[in-house]
Amino acid sequence: MATTPGQGPLTGVRVVELAGIGPGPFAAMLLADLGADVVRVDRPGGTGLAINTRFDITNRNKRSVVVDLKSPDGPARVLDLAARADILIEGYRPGVAERLGVGPEACHARNPKLVYGRMTGWGQEGPLAHRAGHDIAYIAVTGTLGMIGGPDEPPAVPANLVGDYAGGSLYLVVGILAALHHARATGTGQVVDAAIVDGTSHLSAMIHGMLAAGGWQDRRGANLLDGGCPYYGTYETADGRYMAVGALEPQFYDEFLRLLGIEDFASARKDISRWGELREVVAARFKSRTRDEWTAVFEGSDACVAPVLSLREAPQHPHLAARGTFTDVSAPRFAATPTAVRTGPAQPGADTAGVARDWDVPDLLKGLDTDGPATKGLV
């Protein structure tokens, strides 16, 4: 598969990604979006992800080679790549990379400047370090899951966004970039241990501060930002859809009441004893019109009200469409070094020839059919 040169602030940075699922690939995708040359080392037979690889967007802007780490020469091929890389990302359970021969010690022996990023749920140490787990379990023990949802309902599951991607991928990327800065300044690489339990706990720093100060109750649906506040939450409309309200500040709250037609409740903003009454009135008003009708009412205002869109609807929202949020660029955006979605999802092994040439690792081609698609374009 042909690929275009990298563009973005990380152009020239080389990344080896040992294939996995979830937060590791997303972190590597973000680095690739920022311009890094990310080579994903896929396993023979794939990772077990239950979607067609053509639709695995987390593999966009990357290149792929296939290496069997359990074969006699598999670890050597990965170490050859690590020797030429700035960053390596793996998401195995603790000790697995070492048993496969591609752990930090082996990699740093070949490349002392390498930033070795480790993505796990529980971390590299601790009583649960070697236990299996998924996003929901990680965020459960941090207290984060327990504070999401209605007061008389089970905790609401926020997909796998809070743990895997916010507490996991993004913290791994922050750690990797900080370690890369250090490596370039000192010539010394290091291991970055990014645990989802650590990152998710860190995300709740402000909430813990509010809890300690007495400004947050340790229960669901009872606080300013968890749906307990009637002017910060969601409401059903006449057509069974929803509107989201975030009218926290006084001026936004007043605008919200005016457009909703309930100005008499201006004094209820700080009167918690009236929040139940206010919620009932707001709910009844939203139930009187459809989502699109309410969207038109609040259009152009500073009431901080927005329609709750589905995944398929979101790309068509006028603001997101105008910015090309889902199609043109990645996040965040850069004035001097703009990024772009350069290629679709990398297909396993399709880029072996190009990587072997560009990274000067000819041994990647050993054992391959030299007339097959993986070697087309070798020069």
Side-chain angles (χ1 to χ4, degrees):
M1 180 176 70
T3 186
T4 58
Q7 63 183 85
L10 294 186
T11 297
V13 173
R14 287 180 170 179
V15 180
V16 176
E17 175 200 349
L18 302 186
I21 60 175
F26 187 89
M29 181 202 77
L30 182 51
L31 295 174
D33 287 350
L34 296 178
D37 181 6
V38 177
V39 172
R40 177 177 166 95
V41 180
D42 278 300
R43 311 169 193 172
T47 60
L49 187 64
I51 65 169
N52 188 308
T53 56
R54 294 187 297 114
F55 299 99
D56 186 3
I57 293 176
T58 60
N59 282 334
R60 72 185 183 193
N61 288 342
K62 303 177 184 179
R63 298 194 282 179
S64 168
V65 301
V66 172
V67 175
D68 183 358
L69 276 170
K70 295 182 180 179
S71 69
D73 63 347
R77 301 292 77 77
V78 170
L79 292 175
D80 286 344
L81 291 169
R84 294 159 174 80
D86 301 287
I87 298 162
L88 183 144
I89 292 175
E90 62 94 355
Y92 303 135
R93 294 197 205 188
V96 172
E98 285 83 350
R99 291 198 298 272
L100 291 172
V102 293
E105 186 175 349
C107 287
H108 283 142
R110 295 287 301 276
N111 181 0
K113 296 182 180 180
L114 183 71
V115 174
Y116 194 104
R118 316 196 84 164
M119 181 76 262
T120 62
W122 304 115
Q124 297 298 311
E125 57 188 20
L128 296 177
H130 294 274
R131 290 275 298 276
H134 282 294
D135 174 291
I136 194 167
Y138 308 140
I139 68 173
V141 301
T142 66
T144 307
L145 179 62
M147 69 179 185
I148 303 174
D152 301 315
E153 302 170 355
V157 180
N160 66 331
L161 302 178
V162 174
D164 279 354
Y165 298 129
S169 303
L170 297 186
Y171 275 85
L172 176 61
V173 170
V174 168
I176 281 174
L177 295 180
L180 180 64
H181 175 75
H182 175 265
R184 289 184 166 180
T186 66
T188 303
Q190 61 183 300
V191 175
V192 177
D193 174 10
I196 293 172
V197 291
D198 294 347
T200 305
S201 298
H202 194 259
L203 284 171
S204 62
M206 184 189 76
I207 304 297
H208 277 283
M210 295 173 69
L211 182 66
W216 189 275
Q217 299 183 63
D218 197 8
R219 55 191 179 91
R220 287 190 299 284
N223 299 284
L224 188 66
L225 301 174
D226 66 355
C229 173
Y231 45 92
Y232 195 90
T234 57
Y235 291 92
E236 187 176 3
T237 55
D239 53 350
R241 297 179 178 180
Y242 292 86
M243 296 294 289
V245 177
L248 290 176
E249 289 81 1
Q251 66 273 30
F252 304 149
Y253 178 75
D254 291 343
E255 179 80 347
F256 168 63
L257 295 186
R258 183 182 68 81
L259 292 173
L260 208 59
I262 55 171
E263 293 94 329
D264 291 346
F265 282 85
S267 62
R269 179 174 170 270
K270 289 189 174 182
D271 187 352
I272 296 178
S273 68
R274 299 187 64 192
W275 277 10
E277 178 189 6
L278 175 59
R279 183 185 306 281
E280 290 180 2
V281 171
V282 171
R285 290 292 295 141
F286 274 117
K287 267 290 206 177
S288 69
R289 299 186 187 182
T290 66
R291 186 192 68 181
D292 290 347
E293 288 173 333
W294 281 119
T295 299
V297 168
F298 288 101
E299 184 72 27
S301 78
D302 274 344
C304 300
V305 177
V308 178
L309 303 182
S310 71
L311 290 174
R312 294 189 185 279
E313 290 176 315
Q316 279 72 54
H317 186 277
H319 181 77
L320 303 183
R323 288 178 61 81
T325 297
F326 284 90
T327 57
D328 296 337
V329 298
S330 57
R333 305 181 187 214
F334 298 84
T337 55
T339 62
V341 177
R342 305 182 304 278
T343 65
Q347 298 304 294
D351 307 292
T352 303
V355 173
R357 176 191 63 233
D358 297 343
W359 286 40
D360 191 23
V361 188
D363 284 351
L364 282 175
L365 299 173
K366 286 184 177 179
L368 292 180
D369 176 6
T370 55
D371 292 323
T375 58
K376 291 299 183 184
L378 181 63
V379 294

